[in-house]
C-alpha cells in the first residue's frame, strides 16, 4: 500500500500535496512540582479540530512556513495552538510519516516530515485556540488514551521515544546569492551564517 502512495492522484491527496509537508512538532513537558501540586510530569496535547486526525489528541505543532527557522516555527506553533510563550530547547527526532487514504479520515493520502522538538513554556494557562482543545496529561493518562485509540498512534510513539531523549545537532545555514554579470555562469554565493541552533 505505502509503496504505491506516490501514485495516488493529486485529487486523492491531502491538500493536493506534491511533496512531504514539513511540520514542527513540540513535546511540551510540565515537570513534577512538589508533593501536593503535581506528583508526576505531564505533557500538553491538543485535540485536533480538523483533518487529518480530527477528534484525536496529538502533540502540538503545525506547518513549518517558508523562510522560518525551525526554532521560530516550533515557538510560533506552540503560541498559535496553546496561547503559551515557548522557548526552543532541542530537536530530538525526525520522522517521515505517511498516511494511506483509509487512515486519513476522508482527507486523502498524506505525507509529512515531522521535526520533533522539545520546548519549554512560560508560566500561564494553556488555552484552546482555533486548532482544538488543549489539556495536560500524565504518562499514565496518555497510555489510557492510546488504549482507547484517542491519541494519534505515531504521536504516542514519539512521546515514548523522544521525551527526554538526547538532542540531535541542528544547524541553520543562510546563503546570499550574487548574480554574475551577463550569462557567463552560475550565481556566486556567500555563506552569511552556519551555526548550531537551539
Amino acid at each position: 500500500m505505502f509503496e504505491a502512495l506516490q501514485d495516488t492522484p493529486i485529487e486523492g491527496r491531502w491538500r493536493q500535496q506534491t511533496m512531504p509537508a514539513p511540520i514542527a512538532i513540540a513535546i511540551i513537558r510540565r515537570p513534577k512540582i512538589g508533593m501536593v501540586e503535581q506528583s508526576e510530569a505531564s505533557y500538553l496535547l491538543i485535540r485536533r479540530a480538523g483533518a487529518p486526525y480530527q477528534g484525536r489528541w496529538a502533540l502540538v505543532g503545525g506547518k513549518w512556513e517558508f523562510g522560518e527557522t525551525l526554532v521560530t516555527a516550533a515557538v510560533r506553533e506552540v503560541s498559535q495552538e496553546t496561547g503559551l510563550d515557548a522557548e526552543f530547547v532541542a530537536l530530538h527526532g525526525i520522522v517521515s510519516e505517511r498516511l494511506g487514504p483509509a487512515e486519513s479520515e476522508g482527507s486523502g493520502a498524506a505525507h509529512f516530515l515531522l521535526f520533533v522538538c522539545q520546548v519549554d513554556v512560560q508560566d500561564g494557562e494553556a488555552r484552546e485556540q482555533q486548532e482544538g482543545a488543549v489539556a495536560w496529561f500524565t504518562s499514565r493518562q496518555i497510555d489510557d488514551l492510546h488504549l482507547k485509540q484517542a491519541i494519534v498512534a505515531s504521536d504516542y510513539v514519539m512521546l515514548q521515544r523522544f521525551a527526554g531523549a538526547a538532542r540531535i545537532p541542528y544547524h541553520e545555514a543562510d546563503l546570499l546569492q550574487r548574480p554574475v554579470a551577463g550569462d557567463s555562469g552560475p550565481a556566486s554565493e556567500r555563506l552569511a551564517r552556519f551555526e548550531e541552533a537551539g
Side-chain angles (χ1 to χ4, degrees):
M1 169 191 209
F2 289 102
E3 293 76 22
L5 200 62
Q6 65 191 27
D7 297 328
T8 305
I10 293 290
E11 59 275 1
R13 300 178 188 184
W14 177 76
R15 297 186 181 175
Q16 291 75 49
Q17 278 186 302
T18 58
M19 61 189 69
I23 306 292
I25 298 290
I27 294 177
I28 306 167
R29 181 177 181 267
R30 182 167 58 186
K32 135 171 136 168
I33 306 168
M35 300 280 275
V36 178
E37 293 182 45
Q38 186 178 330
S39 59
E40 64 180 291
S42 56
Y43 298 89
L44 188 60
L45 300 178
I46 184 168
R47 190 168 189 199
R48 291 280 168 211
Y53 314 122
Q54 185 172 9
R56 290 197 214 145
W57 290 96
L59 291 169
V60 171
K63 190 168 65 169
W64 184 352
E65 301 286 348
F66 181 83
E68 285 183 314
T69 66
L70 178 58
V71 172
T72 302
V75 168
R76 176 186 51 76
E77 283 295 334
V78 170
S79 177
Q80 286 179 347
E81 294 191 354
T82 70
L84 294 172
D85 291 329
E87 181 179 331
F88 183 89
V89 175
L91 174 65
H92 288 297
I94 301 171
V95 177
S96 174
E97 180 174 276
R98 299 179 297 172
L99 285 78
E103 288 77 28
S104 57
E105 294 131 10
S107 62
H111 191 176
F112 303 105
L113 189 57
L114 309 175
F115 294 81
V116 186
C117 307
Q118 175 189 346
V119 301
D120 285 343
V121 292
Q122 305 301 317
D123 291 336
E125 247 347 277
R127 299 180 311 278
E128 179 175 349
Q129 307 294 313
Q130 292 180 353
E131 299 295 325
V134 291
W136 293 97
F137 293 90
T138 64
S139 293
R140 276 179 271 162
Q141 291 169 325
I142 291 170
D143 289 341
D144 289 341
L145 291 175
H146 179 63
L147 288 173
K148 296 174 187 170
Q149 297 184 343
I151 185 172
V152 175
S154 57
D155 286 23
Y156 176 75
V157 174
M158 284 186 271
L159 271 167
Q160 304 300 309
R161 298 243 173 115
F162 299 131
R167 70 191 290 277
I168 295 174
Y170 161 63
H171 294 76
E172 289 279 353
D174 295 330
L175 286 95
L176 298 171
Q177 288 189 352
R178 292 190 196 125
V180 175
D183 290 330
S184 60
S188 66
E189 74 270 344
R190 181 177 65 82
L191 185 62
R193 177 175 73 111
F194 190 99
E195 62 188 30
E196 189 164 346

